[in-house]
Amino acid sequence: MINRWGGCSKLQPPYTFSAERFLCMKFYKKLYVGEMVKNPRKVKRKLNRNAGLVNIYIIALCKGPDQLEIYPSYVLMQPFYRVHSPYVIGIASSYEEAVEIVRTIVEESLHENGDCDLKNIFWTRNGYMINSILHVLAIIGIIILCLLGIILLLLSAVLFVPIRYRFLIDKENGWEKEKLHIDVKVGWLLGLIRLRVKLESALVVRIKLLCFTLFDSQNPKKESKQSKKKHKTSSHSKERKEDSGTSKEAMNPEVAKQEIKTSDVKSPDKPEKKLTETNKMTVSEETVSSGEKIPIWKKIWYTIKKFCDKINYYIELIRSDEFKNGLSFLWGRLTEIIIYVLPTKIRGHVVFGFSEPDKTGYVLGLLCIIRGMKGYDNLDIQPDFEQEIFIAKLQGRGRIRLVTLARHALAVYRDKNLRNLLAHIKQEE
């Protein structure tokens, strides 16, 4: 480096400005300063810069089991204190003055708290307890935020990741089950959850999570050990009861005969009790709170009148504008959902025909409308107006996002006309 006088000078290690020369010392807010110390701000600045001071002693909290420690300031020039900086409570110009400051500190603690737990006093005074509590609260807040982030990620994955499906339909001519083959594959969360439905001679349903099969219709899970034990215990208990009953009857047949006789004698009394109970019920139904009897024709008239009133109420409700607007809104939402759920791409060929040619023409018109949709260009439709036939071989795929379904459901829930309709129906009920 060339200086301003033309000479070349190099910065020596003691004159380099690096962060290692500075200490991150912590000073007590109400720092104890000796009477002989002049300009304590300058002393604090020099201590932080690790400058050598001769006639300065430091009173700091001990990091061991002791309370306080006193040492000269030039000790701080050691490399250990660059990492482990002390917590300074007081500054003195001599050792005797530092001892006097310690004595005053001990007297204050005895006067305030009645003990000499100086570390606890300074931590509470300087807010160390509050800082530690805030530090713990900060850690708890970070953990809560992480959990909320994970929950939001899961919700976004559930709502925004689409459910993709593929299908294959192979139908030969005829309506037998053996001539129809259907294979549907559904995947979600990038194939983590998979569903497969296959129909050939029999229906097969299989659900997988990663490489684990959660459900398989071909291999149903065996009964658990506990259920088997329960069945065994119940069967053993029943056998024991039957054995005990048979043994009692074998031991005393006279008692069994007496029980049969008593049951035969008491059996005719039971229908009389039932008759009396039914008579009481009819009497209670025919009587009013005042004690007067209502004739049957009036009851029939009241029920018919209530039924007619309900019918008139629902007819007026159907004719109202709320019902028409709500029904049109619901129908529009349902059509949007059906169009959204339909596959985005289909390819294959369909050959169909009915015994009546006009029906074939109607179905052909509908299929041509469907073929005009986006992604259905590779669908080949061949009508047959001469014979009844149906052959199809189709492949398709699509996707469904739960966000769109939730959006439509929320719109239906927030519609005022539908909510008013539900309120009127509940009032009538």
Side-chain angles (χ1 to χ4, degrees), residues 33-80:
V33 181
E35 295 178 357
M36 301 299 293
V37 177
K38 296 177 182 179
N39 198 355
R41 289 184 180 178
K42 187 176 180 181
V43 172
K44 287 169 67 176
R45 187 175 67 252
K46 285 187 176 183
L47 288 172
N48 274 323
R49 290 186 178 182
N50 202 4
L53 296 173
V54 180
N55 295 323
I56 295 296
Y57 284 82
I58 289 170
I59 305 158
L61 287 177
C62 184
K63 293 182 180 180
D66 297 331
Q67 298 290 328
L68 301 174
E69 55 186 359
I70 302 168
Y71 46 83
S73 61
Y74 56 80
V75 177
L76 299 175
M77 297 178 72
Q78 296 178 8
F80 173 79

Side-chain angles (χ1 to χ4, degrees), residues 85-202:
S85 58
Y87 180 60
V88 181
I89 293 165
I91 300 168
S93 60
S94 63
Y95 183 78
E96 289 79 9
E97 192 174 16
V99 172
E100 188 67 24
I101 289 169
V102 171
R103 186 180 64 80
T104 54
I105 291 167
V106 172
E107 287 178 356
E108 287 178 1
S109 66
L110 285 170
H111 182 68
E112 289 179 3
N113 300 319
D115 57 359
C116 293
D117 193 2
L118 303 178
K119 286 183 178 180
N120 192 11
I121 291 167
F122 285 111
W123 286 346
T124 52
R125 282 183 183 177
N126 203 22
Y128 260 62
M129 295 294 291
I130 296 168
N131 290 331
S132 60
I133 291 165
L134 291 173
H135 186 66
V136 172
L137 290 173
I139 292 166
I140 293 167
I142 291 164
I143 292 166
I144 291 167
L145 287 173
C146 291
L147 292 172
L148 288 173
I150 291 165
I151 292 165
L152 287 173
L153 281 172
L154 291 173
L155 284 174
S156 61
V158 169
L159 293 173
F160 292 100
V161 175
I163 300 168
R164 300 183 183 275
Y165 64 90
R166 293 174 179 269
F167 63 88
L168 175 63
I169 299 171
D170 191 0
K171 171 70 176 62
E172 298 176 2
N173 192 12
W175 298 104
E176 292 83 4
K177 289 183 179 179
E178 296 176 353
K179 294 182 179 181
L180 179 63
H181 304 282
I182 298 171
D183 191 3
V184 181
K185 296 178 182 178
V186 182
W188 189 37
L189 295 174
L190 302 174
L192 295 176
I193 301 169
R194 298 185 300 277
L195 169 67
R196 188 171 184 181
V197 180
K198 199 172 182 180
L199 178 63
E200 289 181 350
S201 59

Side-chain angles (χ1 to χ4, degrees), residues 6-7 64 84 127-128 193 252 310-311 363 402:
H84 306 281
Y128 260 62
I193 301 169
N252 46 6
K310 280 188 177 181
I311 290 170
V363 174
L402 296 178

